[in-house]
Amino acid sequence: MSDVTLQARTARPWMVFGYTRTQAIALLILVVLTIASPYFLYPVFLMKVLCFALFACAFNLLIGYVGLLSFGHAAFFGMGAYVTAWTAKEWHLTPEVAILLGGLVGAALGVVIGGLAIRRLGLYFSMITLALSQMVYFFCLEAPFTGGEDGIQQVPRGHLFGIIPLDNDMAMYWVVAVIFLAGFLFLHRVVHSPFGQVLKAIRENEPRATSLGYRANDYKLIAFVLSTFLAGIAGGTKSLVFGIATLTDVHWSMSGEVVLMTLVGGLGTIFGPVVGSLVVTAMENYLAQFGAWVTVIQGVIFVLCVLAFRRGIIGELGAKLKLAL
């Protein structure tokens, strides 16, 4: 497998800093849009998109590159939100430390849940993650520090590094943008590293990867923990943006929402979850005026997306670009 990987790398002279020409152009467009967007769109809406984009990218690491469908990722997103909100409000920690703690708690929870679920495959893995996620939900419902159904409210954004105030939406936006881009680039590096190649091999043929000497369960657990760490980071960032952490963040419907974002954007693509989160969040924001009809409209749009983009929006565009080349 290492020989194949080496040949694949040496056979791509158009690679630029680990990116293909198309990926480099797409990344440049993403960075430009991230910088320019707050001057044309509402910064709070954009921050929500970026938080969910990071969440979806973290989830995509599992389902897109390892082939593991987790129905319990809301547990890590929600616990990251609760821990960040509580430490920022009660311990008065600076935002970067509070967000990091949220990510570390998500990773710790990922070690426990992943250790229990990772030895099962397919539907069994999905159901175990869902069941354990529901246990986390009921814990958050009863635990005194979470505020029960009221959640943790009036969470201060604080001062970045104890110096830069984040009360202004534009100041907070740049922090969220940096966190998203850092997480995105980190995931890209993971996916295109030798470790990522092993993950893809496990996804395609786990028995063959095992026969080559790779301990599949260890690789899957590491990928699971990396995914839960970034999910916790995304949840913690969102709690500071909106100043609240509630049961919605840890509810099973949040797990379904991130699955939807990834499917719409494109499984196993780097930029797919970002586009999917933008589409889903924009629909929730701009279709709210239709009241109860929002669900019906969303259903119709999703059906059209599935029919027109079977591999997701970015998956279909990528396939067409390859054909064009």
Side-chain angles (χ1 to χ4, degrees):
M1 183 180 301
S2 58
D3 294 337
V4 174
T5 303
L6 180 60
Q7 291 174 6
R9 287 185 175 181
T10 56
R12 294 180 180 178
W14 60 86
M15 296 286 283
V16 180
F17 299 110
Y19 295 88
T20 65
R21 182 172 54 191
T22 304
Q23 288 178 342
I25 294 173
L27 179 60
L28 179 61
I29 293 173
L30 176 64
V31 173
V32 170
L33 288 177
T34 302
I35 295 174
S37 293
Y39 298 103
F40 302 97
L41 297 174
Y42 190 38
V44 174
F45 165 73
L46 293 173
M47 285 188 280
K48 183 178 180 180
V49 171
L50 293 180
C51 290
F52 278 114
L54 180 59
F55 185 27
C57 287
F59 175 78
N60 186 51
L61 176 64
L62 276 186
I63 189 173
Y65 295 97
V66 192
L68 295 176
L69 174 57
S70 170
F71 281 145
H73 252 51
F76 317 112
F77 182 82
M79 283 304 296
Y82 273 120
V83 170
T84 298
W86 192 80
T87 54
K89 183 177 181 180
E90 300 297 331
W91 291 357
H92 307 290
L93 296 181
T94 55
E96 71 280 359
V97 176
I99 291 173
L100 180 60
L101 284 177
L104 292 175
V105 169
L109 193 59
V111 171
V112 176
I113 294 180
L116 294 173
I118 211 72
R119 297 181 184 277
R120 298 294 180 263
L121 299 175
L123 183 62
Y124 299 102
F125 171 84
S126 301
M127 290 299 100
I128 291 174
T129 56
L130 177 61
L132 294 175
S133 176
Q134 285 300 99
M135 292 177 62
V136 174
Y137 171 81
F138 287 112
F139 168 79
C140 293
L141 180 63
E142 300 296 336
F145 81 95
T146 62
E149 295 183 354
D150 295 328
I152 303 177
Q153 303 180 24
Q154 298 180 340
V155 179
R157 291 180 178 177
H159 292 68
L160 186 66
F161 305 118
I163 301 173
I164 305 172
L166 300 180
D167 294 332
N168 183 272
D169 286 341
M170 284 297 287
M172 187 69 198
Y173 174 82
W174 297 120
V175 174
V176 175
V178 169
I179 292 173
F180 163 72
L181 290 174
F184 181 86
L185 294 174
F186 171 74
L187 285 172
H188 180 275
R189 181 57 189 150
V190 168
V191 167
H192 292 87
S193 67
F195 173 78
Q197 299 301 319
V198 176
L199 294 182
K200 294 174 187 176
I202 293 172
R203 178 193 63 190
E204 297 298 330
N205 194 330
E206 184 173 336
R208 184 169 183 269
T210 303
S211 69
L212 291 173
Y214 295 104
R215 301 175 63 177
N217 286 337
D218 291 346
Y219 278 91
K220 290 191 289 186
L221 181 59
I222 293 173
F224 193 90
V225 173
L226 288 176
S227 177
T228 59
F229 171 73
L230 290 176
I233 292 289
T237 305
K238 178 179 174 290
S239 70
L240 289 186
V241 169
F242 292 97
I244 188 171
T246 66
L247 289 173
T248 303
D249 297 328
V250 78
H251 193 258
W252 65 266
S253 60
M254 184 63 72
S255 296
E257 191 168 340
V258 75
V259 172
L260 194 58
M261 292 176 181
T262 310
L263 288 174
V264 170
L267 291 177
T269 62
I270 295 295
F271 296 91
V274 180
V275 175
S277 64
L278 175 61
V279 172
V280 174
T281 306
M283 283 195 297
E284 291 178 350
N285 186 70
Y286 294 107
L287 296 180
Q289 56 182 322
F290 294 100
W293 285 95
V294 171
T295 306
V296 177
I297 298 172
Q298 284 181 333
V300 172
I301 293 175
F302 291 145
V303 169
L304 293 176
C305 285
V306 170
L307 293 176
F309 306 100
R310 299 201 172 199
R311 286 171 288 191
I313 297 174
I314 295 299
E316 290 293 337
L317 290 177
K320 292 184 182 301
L321 285 175
K322 287 180 181 179
L323 291 176
L325 294 174

